[in-house]
Amino acid sequence: MGDLRGKTALITGSSRGIGRGIAQRLAADGALVAVHYGSNDAAAKETLENIRAAGGRAFALGVPLGVPGDAEALFAAFDAELAAYGGDSGLDILVNNAAISLPGHIGEVTPEEFDRTIAVNTKAPLFIVQQALHRMRNGGRIINISSAVTTTAFPSTLAYALSKGAMDTLTLTLAKDLGERDITVNTIAPGFVETEMNAALRATPEARAALAGLSAFNRLGHPGDIADVAAFLASDDSRWITGQRIDATGGSML
Ligand code: NAP
């Protein structure tokens, strides 16, 4: 287990799903965790309770992304909550995890859905990084959550795939820029993980079995499978890895 004592981590979209798993894991490793979410207060509260019950430290930030001024609003809340919590003003680990996935092939996607997807999944993370860099200490970590859809074609979620492809490019480009500060930037690309995001795709036992069958291990991923990769990338053990896209699909479509 990595030692993140003395570090502060911000995980976007950590009220539920993969983000919650990462928040709980980094808190268990000793980080003070900012649990960001959009609107689900009850889910965020549950994440906080889980962290605190395990002896960890965390506070919540409810700030919608994908709207003008979102990154500034997020960090205004972060600064205020961190000061109230008694933490110092720095940030060590940023995980860009919050995202939406709207269905739509090329013939179905609308300009509005495209703009919304890019606003939440791509534009918000970019400007969150910009704000984060004013606070991030040298040696920090930026972890972007992408998806298998950037290397395996899933035509039914075209806008989502484009938004995640841009995140892979953001990782590569930022890593080159931030090396001089010993900040690493990496992407984790999950396959199908059992969260609310894909509940509709596995509504029947047959559909669920088909998704599980994509993995060499014949099962769906769990948030903890991704959180453990994030914990490695957040730790000092990953200091020589940057600009990389880590496949965390359980060997899907090998
Ligand atoms: P999820 O269960 O749907 O949770 C999404 C999280 O993001 C929630 O905390 C939600 O907050 C937050 N969020 C969504 N839209 C937001 C907005 N506009 N403003 C602020 N917060 C917002 O998703 P997940 O399955 O855990 O996915 C997490 C990441 O993994 C995403 O980047 C996703 O693309 C990626 N991923 C997932 C899978 C998968 O199979 N699940 C596969 C590949 C990649 P609220 O609770 O407040 O709504």
Side-chain angles (χ1 to χ4, degrees):
M1 183 173 285
D3 184 358
L4 300 180
R5 283 174 295 179
K7 309 276 189 195
T8 298
L10 166 60
I11 296 113
T12 67
S14 48
S15 49
R16 299 184 278 120
I18 291 170
R20 173 186 280 182
I22 295 172
Q24 292 178 176
R25 173 63 203 261
L26 299 193
D29 286 358
L32 169 61
V33 172
V35 172
H36 164 265
Y37 65 105
S39 58
N40 194 334
D41 299 318
K45 189 164 170 263
E46 202 174 306
T47 303
L48 287 187
E49 286 170 357
N50 291 348
I51 288 173
R52 289 172 183 160
R57 301 180 307 141
F59 56 88
L61 305 171
V63 181
L65 303 179
V67 294
D70 50 7
E72 291 87 348
L74 172 60
F75 277 96
F78 174 83
D79 292 343
E81 289 294 325
L82 190 60
Y85 197 88
D88 65 32
S89 58
L91 177 68
D92 301 285
I93 301 155
L94 168 66
V95 184
N96 276 311
N97 167 79
I100 55 171
S101 178
L102 305 176
H105 287 259
I106 181 63
E108 298 152 354
V109 64
T110 67
E112 293 74 22
E113 288 167 347
F114 178 83
D115 286 349
R116 175 76 184 145
T117 301
I118 296 295
V120 175
N121 295 7
T122 310
K123 186 176 177 184
L126 187 153
F127 288 100
I128 288 171
V129 169
Q130 188 181 69
Q131 290 289 321
L133 288 172
H134 297 308
R135 294 149 176 95
M136 189 168 277
R137 286 181 269 264
N138 288 355
R141 299 281 186 266
I142 297 174
I143 302 168
N144 295 319
I145 307 300
S146 177
S147 168
V149 300
T150 67
T151 51
T152 301
F154 277 89
S156 59
T157 54
L158 175 59
Y160 174 76
L162 288 170
S163 75
K164 292 298 186 178
M167 291 300 285
D168 290 358
T169 305
L170 179 66
T171 292
L172 178 70
T173 309
L174 277 176
K176 181 79 173 166
D177 221 9
L178 301 183
E180 64 184 12
R181 289 177 57 184
D182 282 335
I183 294 172
T184 69
V185 190
N186 291 292
T187 287
I188 303 173
F192 280 104
V193 179
E194 198 158 1
T195 71
E196 288 171 36
M197 179 175 273
N198 56 35
L201 298 179
R202 50 183 164 78
T204 65
E206 295 75 22
R208 185 187 171 81
L211 292 188
L214 296 175
S215 160
F217 305 118
N218 196 29
R219 69 165 173 85
L220 291 164
H222 306 304
D225 296 325
I226 310 305
D228 290 352
V229 182
F232 166 67
L233 290 176
S235 77
D236 184 58
D237 291 349
S238 68
R239 64 195 168 277
W240 201 234
I241 299 174
T242 195
Q244 301 307 303
R245 177 185 183 280
I246 313 291
D247 181 294
T249 65
S252 289
M253 287 156 287
L254 291 178

